[in-house]
């Protein structure tokens, strides 16, 4: 399988697109005519530039409204094709993509279409060129790949083949059983795209909501298995129409695109890569802070029940523990954590994930172009995470931290036992990118996308989890600039960890201990509990305890979920306390109540500042 991407998939001018495609490692590129029209040089110069970058122009497209046209439109279309052939010779490409006709003037009939394709193929053959026929899902007469293949079969011309597009096939839920019966030499190109399942027309769905393989919900594994059965070994090319991608730098989309094709290769041949690592959970979470900020953060952690168990002998790095939770506070005045702190303030600069088979995990990361790095001050291998943060990879049951100087023993604290989940906020255009990263590099599963109401708009939320649910990462983003998520992006100067949830087996005992330690919880209004009383048959004593400690509640058919929140630390991040009873979600139904309470506190703080000054 050879790798290609269509220029329409990226933002920017054609030069920057080609440079990004080459830098990501693609072998080929599909050239869209609109990109050629805006190019400042000649077609010959463009072809030479692509070859200098190591790229083959695998196809020129699209050629529209061809088959089934009456005269004089038929003759005009053939003459138009000759002009395209002239361009292709200048560019140095030999394949013209012909998409099925959408013109109201076109006439049906597979035999008529086959005769037209034969004539076009004969003209292409004389120049050493080829034509590939693709069924558009909204084609007037031909909108099924099986009909497009039948036209090619009837044309029976060596310069005429079919082009398979996964979106046009899978969006219509067409059976894949015909694909293995197509001779591999008659498949001239394969185009792939993923997409979310949406209830809308095929044309707007295709033009605005395609995404990269691994980012959507189409059954690409089945498509690739059918393709493998043909023994096709040519180019597999990404053709992505997505409004968000047009706002992202082309090099970022190109890198994601390359990863998505590696993912497809793995779907087709699972033995081609090391298997996804088994991610056991969070090994440690590293905070960066200035020296003064570290004092405040460590006092807050102490009130949260953590104990400083170890400290570096010569650096301002300390380890805080409670239960199985390990938190690192790094107040060094140089190095990675210091640089991260200068940009983002007191924040989470790194997550360490426990994995099995570390070397295989690193090899897999490299195959997906997530090149591991090792910092001078930290010998652990790491991948670049969101906004330049780090994802350390730890061998399961690693003895990391034992080289630090021991101080005190971690006690039971307030009953916090483990990291339940970590929530990251990111720009909306990056949500798909990080979903792809976690899915491909780490093998995490994606939950359904959830929309959470905020007083100022909607927040999109999606969880990436391992099957055992010992690792849960929640990705949040919002298009609306006034939401709590967007405010975090502005205050944080980019994406990062907004909150960390800690698990306990007795939330009320834990919250009572936190309150005794002086930790302030997020106040929840009485109206919430009146509604809760009406919705669920909860015991009055339990409901009163929930009121007392500002606990939010949700039920599923299998279990229950209790959770509460601390107030925000340094106006940047906060902690959540959770107790699960056979419950797999995140209490999304309560998110609007929590967000409204946090917004209310922000406004109260702003009003108090106005009074003070």
């Amino acid at each position: 399988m050879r790798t290609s991407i269509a220029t329409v998939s990226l933002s920017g001018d054609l030069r920057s697109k080609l440079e990004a495609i080459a830098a990501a490692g693609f072998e080929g590129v599909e050239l869209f005519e609109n990109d050629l029209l805006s190019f400042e040089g000649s077609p010959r110069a463009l072809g030479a530039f692509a070859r200098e970058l190591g790229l083959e122009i695998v196809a020129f497209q699209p050629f529209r409204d061809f088959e089934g046209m009456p005269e004089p439109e038929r003759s005009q279309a053939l003459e138009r094709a000759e002009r395209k052939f002239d361009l292709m010779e200048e560019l140095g490409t030999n394949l013209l993509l012909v998409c099925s006709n959408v013109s109201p003037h076109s006439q049906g009939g597979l035999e008529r279409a086959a005769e037209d394709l034969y004539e076009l193929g004969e003209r292409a053959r004389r120049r050493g060129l080829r034509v590939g026929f693709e069924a558009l899902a909204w084609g007037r007469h031909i909108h099924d790949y099986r009909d497009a293949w039948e036209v090619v079969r009837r044309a029976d011309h060596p310069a005429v083949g079919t082009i398979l597009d996964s979106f046009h096939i899978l969006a219509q839920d067409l059976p894949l059983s015909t694909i293995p019966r197509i001779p591999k030499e008659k498949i001239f190109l394969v185009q792939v795209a993923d997409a979310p399942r949406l209830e809308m027309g095929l044309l707007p769905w295709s033009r605005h909501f395609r995404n990269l393989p691994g980012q959507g919900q189409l059954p690409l594994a089945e498509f690739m298995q059918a393709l493998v059965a043909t023994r096709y070994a040519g180019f597999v090319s990404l053709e992505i129409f997505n409004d968000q991608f047009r706002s992202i730098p082309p090099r970022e989309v190109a890198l994601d695109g390359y990863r998505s094709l590696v993912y497809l290769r793995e779907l087709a041949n699972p033995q081609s890569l090391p298997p996804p690592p088994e991610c056991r959970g969070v090994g440690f979470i590293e905070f960066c802070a200035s020296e003064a900020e570290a004092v405040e953060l460590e006092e807050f952690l102490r009130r949260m029940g953590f104990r400083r168990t170890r400290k570096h002998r010569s650096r301002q790095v300390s380890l805080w523990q409670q239960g199985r939770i390990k938190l690192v506070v790094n107040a060094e005045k140089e190095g990675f954590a210091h640089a991260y702190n200068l940009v983002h303030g007191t924040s989470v600069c790194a997550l360490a994930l426990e994995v099995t088979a570390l070397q295989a995990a690193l090899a897999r990361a490299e195959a997906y172009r997530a090149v591991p790095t090792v910092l001078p001050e930290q010998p652990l291998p790491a991948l670049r995470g969101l906004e330049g943060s780090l994802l350390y990879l730890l061998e399961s049951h690693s003895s990391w931290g034992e080289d630090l100087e021991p101080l005190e023993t971690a006690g039971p604290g307030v009953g916090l036992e483990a990291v339940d989940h970590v929530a990251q906020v990111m720009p909306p255009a990056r949500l798909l990118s990080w979903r792809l990263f976690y899915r491909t590099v780490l093998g995490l599963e994606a939950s359904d996308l959830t929309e959470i109401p905020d007083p100022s708009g909607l927040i999109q939320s999606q969880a990436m989890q391992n099957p055992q649910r010992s690792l849960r990462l929640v990705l949040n983003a919002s298009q609306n600039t006034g939401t709590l998520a967007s405010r975090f992006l502005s205050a944080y100067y980019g994406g990062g960890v907004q909150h960390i949830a800690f698990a306990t087996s007795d939330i009320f005992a834990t919250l009572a201990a936190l309150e005794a330690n002086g930790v302030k919880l997020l106040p929840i209004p009485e109206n919430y509990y009146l509604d809760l009383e009406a919705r669920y048959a909860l015991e009055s004593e339990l409901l009163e305890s929930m009121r007392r400690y500002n606990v939010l509640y949700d039920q599923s058919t299998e279990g229950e979920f209790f959770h509460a929140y601390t107030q925000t630390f340094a106006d940047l991040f906060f902690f959540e306390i959770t107790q699960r009873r056979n419950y797999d979600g995140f209490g999304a139904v309560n998110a609007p109540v929590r967000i409204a309470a946090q917004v209310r506190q922000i406004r109260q703080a702003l009003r108090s500042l106005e009074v003070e000054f």
Side-chain angles (χ1 to χ4, degrees):
M1 177 180 122
R2 304 184 67 191
T3 57
S4 171
I5 186 171
T7 55
V8 73
S9 307
L10 307 176
S11 65
D13 61 82
L14 186 53
R15 280 189 181 273
S16 62
K17 290 183 181 189
L18 294 178
E19 289 169 346
I21 290 167
F26 285 90
E27 300 169 82
V29 60
E30 284 184 74
L31 180 61
F32 255 66
E33 188 170 40
N34 284 349
D35 285 308
L36 173 62
L37 297 179
S38 61
F39 185 69
E40 74 279 8
S42 67
R44 187 176 295 276
L46 174 57
F49 178 60
R51 287 188 290 277
E52 287 172 9
L53 293 172
L55 294 173
E56 178 179 338
I57 302 178
V58 302
F60 180 63
Q61 70 139 311
F63 189 65
R64 303 184 189 277
D65 297 336
F66 172 68
E67 89 286 352
M69 296 297 282
E71 291 292 357
E73 287 89 348
R74 183 180 187 275
S75 296
Q76 291 169 354
L78 287 168
E79 182 58 29
R80 183 161 48 93
E82 294 285 1
R83 302 287 73 79
K84 303 306 178 188
F85 291 157
D86 292 340
L87 281 175
M88 291 168 61
E89 288 177 335
E90 292 288 307
L91 289 166
T93 185
N94 71 354
L95 178 61
L96 177 67
L97 185 151
V98 180
C99 46
S100 59
N101 209 323
V102 299
S103 170
H105 303 295
S106 65
Q107 299 171 346
L110 298 181
E111 196 60 42
R112 177 185 288 109
E115 291 172 1
D116 291 344
L117 263 295
Y118 183 91
E119 174 63 24
L120 186 62
E122 185 60 20
R123 292 178 180 230
R125 183 193 61 78
R126 294 176 195 143
R127 297 183 182 225
L129 305 177
R130 302 176 301 154
V131 295
F133 188 48
E134 171 192 43
L136 293 179
W138 51 90
R140 182 169 176 80
H141 300 290
I142 296 174
H143 46 77
D144 187 316
Y145 82 97
R146 294 169 294 181
D147 290 335
W149 160 236
E150 179 60 19
V151 168
V152 169
R153 191 190 68 78
R154 293 188 187 192
D156 192 23
H157 193 286
V160 177
T162 191
I163 292 177
L164 300 176
D165 185 309
S166 68
F167 179 85
H168 294 299
I169 296 170
L170 300 177
Q172 298 184 86
D173 295 316
L174 299 177
L176 303 175
S177 54
T178 299
I179 292 178
R181 298 200 294 269
I182 302 175
K184 63 180 181 181
E185 64 274 9
K186 298 303 288 184
I187 302 174
F188 283 3
L189 182 64
V190 175
Q191 296 175 318
V192 289
D194 209 339
R197 284 290 184 185
L198 300 173
E199 295 296 327
M200 62 167 51
L202 288 166
L203 181 56
W205 187 14
S206 172
R207 291 284 171 83
H208 302 285
F209 296 100
R210 292 194 191 198
N211 46 40
L212 297 169
Q215 294 178 333
Q217 296 170 297
L218 298 183
L220 283 169
E222 290 86 342
F223 177 83
M224 291 304 296
Q225 289 162 10
L227 183 64
V228 166
T230 69
R231 299 187 180 276
Y232 173 78
F235 279 99
V236 174
S237 186
L238 298 168
E239 187 186 43
I240 312 297
F241 302 91
N242 187 295
D243 296 341
Q244 285 191 343
F245 288 5
R246 297 184 180 101
S247 65
I248 302 175
R251 285 185 179 251
E252 294 183 26
V253 176
L255 178 58
D256 283 347
Y258 183 87
R259 283 178 178 154
S260 74
L261 287 183
V262 175
Y263 170 72
L264 280 187
R265 184 182 296 149
E266 185 178 18
L267 288 180
N269 179 14
Q271 286 71 44
S272 61
L273 289 178
E278 183 183 340
C279 293
R280 295 288 182 85
V282 176
F284 67 84
I285 299 171
E286 182 175 359
F287 291 87
C288 60
S290 67
E291 192 171 356
E293 293 165 342
V295 173
E296 294 181 34
L297 176 60
E298 290 181 335
E299 175 56 29
F300 186 55
L301 295 180
R302 191 177 296 280
R303 284 188 278 119
M304 289 284 295
F306 289 90
R307 292 291 176 265
R308 186 167 65 166
T309 58
R310 293 179 178 272
K311 189 179 186 305
H312 198 278
R313 292 175 174 81
S314 59
R315 297 167 54 224
Q316 296 188 65
V317 177
S318 56
L319 175 64
W320 294 72
Q321 292 182 256
Q322 182 176 182
R324 300 190 303 277
I325 308 165
K326 293 181 179 180
L327 306 178
V328 175
V329 177
N330 190 329
E332 276 292 281
K333 296 180 181 178
E334 57 183 22
F336 166 76
H338 173 67
Y340 197 89
N341 175 252
L342 291 177
V343 176
H344 301 290
T346 303
S347 54
V348 173
C349 62
L351 294 175
L353 305 181
E354 289 186 356
V355 300
T356 58
L358 176 60
Q359 293 308 312
L362 295 175
R364 180 180 177 86
E366 288 200 50
Y368 276 107
R369 296 284 173 107
V371 181
T373 185
V374 177
L375 299 180
E377 66 267 28
Q378 176 58 271
L380 297 174
L383 310 177
R384 285 292 172 182
L386 178 64
E387 295 288 349
S389 63
L390 292 178
L391 281 172
Y392 291 113
L393 299 183
L394 292 174
E395 196 87 56
S396 292
H397 310 299
S398 166
S399 59
W400 176 88
E402 292 186 359
D403 58 333
L404 302 179
E405 186 176 283
L407 295 176
E408 57 180 309
T409 303
V414 297
L416 301 179
E417 299 167 357
V419 175
D420 183 86
H421 64 271
V422 177
Q424 298 178 317
V425 173
M426 59 197 62
R430 305 305 293 146
L431 191 64
L432 287 173
S433 177
W434 284 102
R435 170 181 170 153
L436 179 67
F437 178 91
Y438 290 129
R439 186 175 189 174
T440 57
V441 177
L442 298 178
L444 302 184
E445 303 169 349
S447 70
D448 290 337
L449 191 68
T450 302
E451 288 191 336
I452 297 171
D454 178 288
S456 298
L458 290 175
I459 296 173
Q460 292 183 317
S461 184
Q462 189 164 44
M464 304 299 299
Q465 309 168 104
N466 66 355
Q468 299 79 21
R469 301 300 190 259
S470 58
L471 175 62
R472 294 180 171 99
L473 302 176
V474 179
L475 317 184
N476 295 321
S478 177
Q479 298 279 1
N480 305 89
T481 57
T483 62
L484 193 65
S486 294
R487 289 182 181 185
F488 173 84
L489 288 179
S490 178
Y492 195 78
Y493 293 102
V497 173
Q498 187 185 33
H499 84 263
I500 302 167
F502 297 126
T504 178
S505 56
D506 188 343
I507 192 168
F508 297 107
T510 293
L511 295 178
L514 288 175
E515 185 180 76
N517 288 350
V519 175
K520 294 182 179 179
L521 299 174
L522 181 70
I524 303 301
E526 171 64 16
N527 287 331
Y528 171 79
Y529 296 103
L530 293 175
D531 177 69
L532 208 61
E533 189 173 16
R535 281 191 291 138
Y536 300 115
L538 299 175
E539 295 180 3
S540 57
E541 185 178 347
L542 174 62
L543 194 61
E544 187 53 39
S545 295
M546 292 165 65
R547 278 192 179 95
R548 169 73 177 80
Y549 292 109
N550 296 287
V551 174
L552 299 164
Y553 176 82
D554 190 30
Q555 278 186 12
S556 65
T557 55
E558 295 83 14
E560 298 176 293
F561 185 56
F562 301 84
H563 56 140
Y565 297 83
T566 69
Q567 296 188 17
T568 304
F569 180 84
D571 295 325
L572 284 175
F573 61 86
F574 53 92
F575 296 119
E576 179 182 4
I577 315 302
T578 69
Q579 182 180 352
R580 297 176 181 273
R581 294 177 180 172
N582 200 32
Y583 179 96
D584 194 43
F586 297 88
V589 67
N590 296 319
V593 177
R594 182 262 299 175
I595 293 170
Q598 290 174 318
V599 170
R600 188 160 46 248
Q601 285 215 318
I602 291 171
R603 289 172 179 167
Q604 289 171 353
L606 290 174
R607 282 196 293 270
S608 67
L609 285 175
E610 290 173 0
V611 170
E612 185 176 341
F613 290 99

